[in-house]
Amino acid sequence: MLLRKPVCSAKAKTVGLLLLLLIGPIISVTACTPGRTQLKIICASSLMVPFQEMEKEFEAVHPDIDVVVEGHGSIQVIRYVTELDTKADVVAVADYLLIPMMMYDNQVPGTSQSYADWYVKFATNRLGLAYTNKSKYADRINATNWYDILSDPDVKLGIPDPNIDSCGYRSLMMCQLAETYYGDATIFEKVLGAFSPPVTVSDNTDTYTISVPEVLKPTKVTIRGSSVVLLGLLESGDLDYSFEYESVATQHGLGFVEMPPEIDLSSQNFADMYNHVVVRLDFQRFASINPEFRGEPIVYALTIPSNSSHPEAAAEFVKFLLGTEGQRVLSETYQPTLVPAEIDNPANLPASLKSLLEE
Amino acid sequence: MSEQKQESKKGRTGRLRKAMPVFIVGLLCIVAAIVVYAHPWQRNASEADIKWNLTLIGSNGDNVTLSLDDIKAMKSTTAQGGFFTTTGVINGPYDVKGVSIEDVCDLVGGMGPSDLVFVSAADGYSSVFDYDQVSGNLPTYDPVTLKEMPHEKLGLTLVYEQDGKPLSYDDGKPLRLAVVGSESLLTEGFYWVKWVDRIEVIHQG
């Protein structure tokens, strides 16, 4: 039998090359992408420590998923999805109200879908004072004398800039609430000192409105943009105390002065009391956000944006976080949890998360 | 002769037939490479260059619009600096080239000691500085330890080149505000406004 050498006609060559051309890029892109699904999570900066731990534990049970966690201020977390065209699979913020405010009535371009139509409240926090054992009067400061100690001109206090950091405007709220709680109308000024131009507080029947100028120049306290800088100044001894969330202070091994729940913005029981204080920022940092914040209990929430690239993997992560293992991680990283978690618009939960309603 | 011509024509046609697939493949390869790797629909870089302008508004109401070419024609400055995010992620320090914000403000009447300058971007983000801050009175940090440390000369620069290359879109192309100086120090990231398209000087009461 005569074996004929296979002949490749010009037509066959063309078809082959075209096939190669079509398949080539797909092969090369696939080759460039790691075999694991990359799950992008954008969270509030104060959640970075628990979420980085969550990443390790989640990946251990889901080796096919590569979790990537990125931290920002809470408004910025949502802006990344709604204004900066970033595809996130889960967003988690330190103020649950931001999700309905920025995502519910905001449509994904080219679709009729909003960026989100549900969220889960899953954690809380409380505001207080972080300090080190080198801080002046560290051995005697407590919930009844903190404002007297901070009034001492030799005590160096730090506060995050209210124009930049939610912890900053919440610190102003706490000082104002303290005046009512302790019955001392001088606490706000004694603790924070004067500012130029001034920070003003107006008392309209049942609401205190704190107005903050565009650029805050303090005469007594140290102001920096974010907590991460103030923690460094505390650790180096350049500051004695700094307003901080309990979880962040504890995660960094710092002491924490716990305040009464009537002023620390932690408790739903005192929500009506917190509501009496409003902070109005003269500077509008984000065109999409009215810079006026009313006192509310600190509640963290998360959602899966409707344009998530990996909604199924994102749902797995949310289930993990709200499940036994996730709750253990939050507890071990000192993040106070909200038990049971509360769902807004449960009817809109993705099918893969409906099981949460049965728990 | 005519047979030779016919032969020659046949030869050319044959070569063309053989070359055509290679030509098509090459062309498609180029198109595919652009589509797969450049993602032009995401960045729309050339369009941004064409449409972008910087609007300047002075405290006296003066209004000037500049193109990137206008800005590049101004006296340039080179400096070093970087920034860190709210979670402590360090970016830079970079070697940057751009124009001083003071020079830009001078085009609309300058900035006085009781003025504020608002720097805004196409994405709706803004930052604000008083005279002291524009003059370089901002905290600076060591790029390794993030410890606060003093600086010598510092200022606000509208940057169009970073490390010898034009800014990328992700770094704020075509113009980004940077806090930079003669040392390679860091500042807080919220000052570094990307995609700057408007600068307004406002006189404070």
Side-chain angles (χ1 to χ4, degrees):
Chain A
M1 190 177 170
L2 188 66
L3 284 173
R4 287 180 61 192
K5 192 179 172 188
V7 175
C8 205
S9 69
K11 196 176 170 187
K13 273 182 191 167
T14 310
V15 171
L17 281 168
L18 281 172
L19 274 174
L20 187 68
L21 178 75
L22 288 171
I23 297 165
I26 297 166
I27 292 169
S28 70
V29 167
T30 313
C32 292
T33 310
R36 302 160 74 197
T37 300
Q38 196 173 79
L39 192 71
K40 189 174 180 73
I41 295 175
I42 312 186
C43 69
S45 304
S46 55
L47 285 174
M48 273 305 276
V49 171
F51 272 44
Q52 281 174 332
E53 193 53 39
M54 199 81 67
E55 172 189 343
K56 284 184 215 158
E57 301 230 2
F58 180 77
E59 285 178 352
V61 289
H62 294 277
D64 54 327
I65 299 175
D66 175 23
V67 176
V68 178
V69 182
E70 196 177 295
H72 299 282
S74 288
I75 292 173
Q76 199 66 331
V77 165
I78 298 184
R79 280 188 79 243
Y80 266 95
V81 175
T82 59
E83 293 174 19
L84 301 176
D85 199 26
T86 300
K87 285 278 178 67
D89 298 304
V90 177
V91 294
V93 290
D95 181 351
Y96 72 97
L97 287 169
L98 293 174
I99 294 177
M101 186 198 297
M102 296 175 74
M103 299 180 91
Y104 276 19
D105 291 326
N106 197 354
Q107 281 184 352
V108 180
T111 76
S112 56
Q113 263 190 319
S114 59
Y115 279 99
D117 55 9
W118 60 271
Y119 62 80
V120 181
K121 294 180 184 174
F122 70 97
T124 63
N125 224 327
R126 60 160 52 93
L127 194 60
L129 286 166
Y131 67 101
T132 72
N133 54 14
K134 291 179 289 185
S135 301
K136 270 198 183 80
Y137 310 118
D139 56 338
R140 75 174 89 145
I141 193 163
N142 58 40
T144 58
N145 65 13
W146 63 273
Y147 52 94
D148 283 330
I149 285 177
L150 296 185
S151 304
D152 184 328
D154 291 335
V155 171
K156 291 167 288 182
L157 171 67
I159 168 174
D161 190 335
N163 284 307
I164 307 296
D165 192 317
S166 62
C167 181
Y169 62 73
R170 283 172 169 158
S171 303
L172 301 184
M173 289 173 181
M174 192 171 79
C175 290
Q176 187 56 47
L177 288 166
E179 289 198 351
T180 308
Y181 177 74
Y182 295 103
D184 179 345
T186 66
I187 289 177
F188 192 91
E189 193 167 346
K190 274 197 307 191
V191 168
L192 299 171
F195 296 88
S196 172
V199 170
T200 59
V201 183
S202 57
D203 177 6
N204 315 315
T205 54
D206 66 343
T207 302
Y208 291 99
T209 303
I210 303 166
S211 295
V212 179
E214 285 101 340
V215 177
L216 209 48
K217 293 280 183 176
T219 56
K220 177 178 179 288
V221 295
T222 298
I223 291 190
R224 293 292 179 268
S226 55
S227 296
V228 68
V229 177
L230 294 171
L231 294 176
L233 292 175
L234 267 181
E235 283 158 1
S236 64
D238 292 307
L239 287 177
D240 294 303
Y241 298 93
S242 176
F243 288 106
E244 190 49 272
Y245 295 124
E246 181 183 35
S247 64
V248 177
T250 320
Q251 285 155 8
H252 285 81
L254 297 166
F256 184 76
V257 183
E258 206 173 299
M259 302 289 174
E262 288 85 346
I263 68 167
D264 72 358
L265 304 175
S266 70
S267 170
Q268 203 62 50
N269 297 336
F270 298 104
D272 287 346
M273 199 176 282
Y274 306 156
N275 266 207
H276 289 294
V277 181
V278 170
V279 172
R280 183 181 296 150
L281 308 175
D282 285 352
F283 174 51
Q284 186 163 6
R285 190 170 167 227
F286 304 103
S288 52
I289 295 287
N290 174 27
E292 186 170 297
F293 303 95
R294 187 171 283 276
E296 289 269 352
I298 303 165
V299 178
Y300 291 73
L302 59 78
T303 191
I304 300 173
S306 61
N307 61 345
S308 155
S309 304
H310 307 292
E312 291 301 320
E316 281 304 311
F317 183 85
V318 171
K319 277 194 272 187
F320 181 87
L321 186 146
L322 298 173
T324 315
E325 290 305 298
Q327 295 298 296
R328 176 182 56 75
V329 172
L330 290 172
S331 162
E332 285 175 0
T333 51
Y334 310 107
Q335 177 64 56
T337 53
L338 187 68
V339 181
E342 293 171 17
I343 302 164
D344 189 53
N345 289 342
N348 294 340
L349 273 180
S352 46
L353 285 178
K354 293 282 187 198
S355 59
L356 294 175
L357 299 172
E358 294 153 15
E359 287 162 12
Chain B
M1 188 66 183
S2 70
E3 274 179 15
Q4 272 179 346
K5 268 187 184 171
Q6 272 184 350
E7 276 304 309
S8 156
K9 198 177 173 187
K10 270 186 189 171
R12 276 206 303 275
T13 312
R15 280 200 296 276
L16 265 176
R17 271 195 190 148
K18 279 182 186 170
M20 192 54 80
V22 177
F23 173 74
I24 292 169
V25 165
L27 192 68
L28 287 173
C29 272
I30 292 165
V31 172
I34 291 169
V35 168
V36 173
Y37 298 107
H39 301 275
W41 60 86
Q42 284 186 353
R43 294 291 175 251
N44 221 0
S46 56
E47 204 177 318
D49 277 346
I50 296 161
K51 288 184 180 170
W52 181 89
N53 277 313
L54 175 67
T55 302
L56 304 177
I57 300 169
S59 60
N60 54 5
D62 283 359
N63 193 323
V64 171
T65 303
L66 300 176
S67 68
L68 188 56
D69 286 341
D70 294 332
I71 290 162
K72 285 183 175 173
M74 291 174 69
K75 183 185 144 204
S76 67
T77 174
T78 54
Q80 293 87 45
F83 66 92
F84 56 92
T85 66
T86 51
T87 51
V89 177
I90 293 170
N91 293 262
Y94 309 107
D95 290 319
V96 300
K97 183 177 177 184
V99 292
S100 134
I101 201 162
E102 286 160 298
D103 287 352
V104 169
C105 290
D106 282 347
L107 298 175
V108 285
M111 183 187 185
S114 56
D115 290 344
L116 298 176
V117 59
F118 291 77
V119 180
S120 313
D123 70 328
Y125 181 84
S126 297
S127 202
V128 59
F129 302 87
D130 65 9
Y131 186 78
D132 252 13
Q133 293 171 321
V134 170
S135 308
N137 190 7
L138 289 163
T140 44
Y141 303 84
D142 183 281
V144 177
T145 62
L146 273 191
K147 285 204 163 129
E148 207 160 309
M149 61 185 300
H151 55 264
E152 300 207 342
K153 186 154 174 47
L154 193 75
L156 302 184
T157 299
L158 290 162
V159 169
Y160 48 77
E161 257 184 49
Q162 185 171 291
D163 291 337
K165 291 176 191 161
L167 273 187
S168 67
Y169 176 84
D170 287 340
D171 283 326
K173 179 184 177 171
L175 209 58
R176 179 181 212 172
L177 184 68
V179 187
V180 287
S182 51
E183 303 135 296
S184 289
L185 298 175
L186 305 182
T187 47
E188 290 186 77
F190 62 87
Y191 297 126
W192 290 58
V193 183
K194 293 177 181 178
W195 313 301
V196 173
D197 67 354
R198 182 186 167 97
I199 293 175
E200 186 169 5
V201 182
I202 288 181
H203 188 68
Q204 274 188 304

